[in-house]
Amino acid sequence: MQSTAEFMEWVEGRTPGEVEFHQAVAEVMSSVWPVLQRNPEYAEAKIPQRMVEPERVISFRVPWVDDTGEIQVNRGYRVEMNSAIGPYKGGLRFRSDVNLGILKFLAFEQSLKNALTTLPMGAGKGGSDFDPKGRSDAEVMRFCQSFMSELFRHIGDHTDIPAGDIGVGAREIGFLFGQYKRVANEFTGILTGKGSTWGGSLIRPEATGYGVVYFADQMLKTRDESIFRKSCLLSGSGNVAQYAAENVIRLGGKVLTMSDSSGFVHDPDGIDEEKLAWIIDLKERRRGRIGEYAEHVGCEFRAGERPWAVEGAEVALPCATQNELSGQDAKLLLANGVYVVAEGANMPSDPDAVRRFVDARILFGPGKAANAGGVAVSGLEMAQNASFATWSRDKVDSRLLGIMVDIHHSCIRAAAEYDRPGNYVVGANIAGFEKVASAMLAQGVV
Ligand code: NDP
Ligand code: 2IT
């Protein structure tokens, strides 16, 4: 391959229609091209070509019966992307728009993200086009049981360890784990994000969101600043957004907005601890819509919109989904004075937005670095399960902070080594790639 364009032509030719996957691969390849120039052995061993081809893709039928007695048929997947540095590891996403291209983009990002965590984890991602929204607990349970009745034969605590992602939280992990235990007749750590009384790690629910804010704080420290007294625009109101908000509040910052797929709320007084507890209850127990918060506190709800036009913030934390922040949004954020963006979601900024942030030389932390705290604490959950131990909240939280500091440092180091100082996109892609590529090289043609 003579250029990234030629490489992408090859990828697109063999994976037509997988647009999110192409987007993720194109960004990484343009960052790591200088690494391939400097280390011709990677290109000779066809490491890039092998990295974009999943080691295995499993696709299966998930039939279940809804509350009215009607039979429903969904499609389940597990993409086992790369096991060079450890067993396949990554979340499950349940949402109606899930397809193979989306799961491949997530699994590919996961391979570099997991390398950055410093822990020995390979990469996978899975899920289904089933949407738990609007379904009863009994329906979600029957779906999860059917899904796991097939998935169980492909996973294992040294093989593949799924976890949560969009639409898969504590409730779904419980149902999935229960069914695994029943059909496999063993109690092992085959999922992370388990409840704290049955093998789950303390701080795993908080880890992704806390980590994003720790990462933003680390970026700010390079300019002798911190999150303290900064105002933040957050998107999403699910797992990642809830605990990103909590950590902003803990570190003395202010949360102005949160959102869901119906729109966003703007609370100029700031969403404090008490109001956040109300939102967490709304989302996790009552399973309501974010607009109800605006009615509850008497603030603004903007239906069908995202929070990026709100003025008066220095920090943006996109924590909902891919491509939720466009080039136009980025332009507006920059014009309004935002100079820190840390991605809680996977690939929330589209390529035009990323380019604008990088060109403006703001503190831009890409998802694979900024949101790696979640999978990192999943790794710590695996360590606790393997050693039959339970660590304290403080111990896990301080390990999480230490890992986020290390990831930040790896990004800075790799970016500087390739003459792109302060460019966290290049830094994260190169640091993650180098670790996976060198392991693949050592293990031969597999
Ligand atoms: P949740 O399901 O808990 O929450 C998702 C949130 O994003 C909800 O508020 C949801 O709104 C909103 N959302 C989802 N899809 C869309 C969409 N297409 N348009 C607008 N809003 C949308 O998921 P998580 O918080 O776990 O995940 C959020 C992001 O973080 C994802 O990108 C995920 O891949 C990433 N991530 C998650 C990690 C984890 O540990 N959970 C780890 C690292 C990254 P609604 O309820 O209306 O659907
Ligand atoms: O995107 C992600 O890193 C996750 N959804 C978490 C994966 C995990 O295995 O904890």
Side-chain angles (χ1 to χ4, degrees), residues 89-91 110 113 125 163-165 192 204 346 374-375 378:
K89 180 80 195 90
Q110 200 82 45
K113 181 195 306 192
K125 201 87 190 190
D165 193 79
T192 57
R204 176 62 190 88
N346 285 306
V375 73
S378 279

Side-chain angles (χ1 to χ4, degrees), residues 119-178:
L119 302 172
M121 296 182 291
K125 201 87 190 190
S128 175
D129 58 355
F130 167 78
D131 200 328
K133 266 206 301 294
R135 292 292 182 185
S136 69
D137 287 353
E139 289 181 314
V140 171
M141 182 179 75
R142 288 195 295 276
F143 172 81
C144 288
Q145 291 178 340
S146 181
F147 184 86
M148 186 53 88
S149 297
E150 173 57 33
L151 186 68
F152 91 97
R153 61 185 105 253
H154 307 289
I155 63 177
D157 55 355
H158 289 92
T159 306
D160 185 356
I161 306 94
D165 193 79
I166 292 177
V168 179
R171 174 183 59 172
E172 290 74 18
I173 292 291
F175 293 147
L176 291 164
F177 187 76

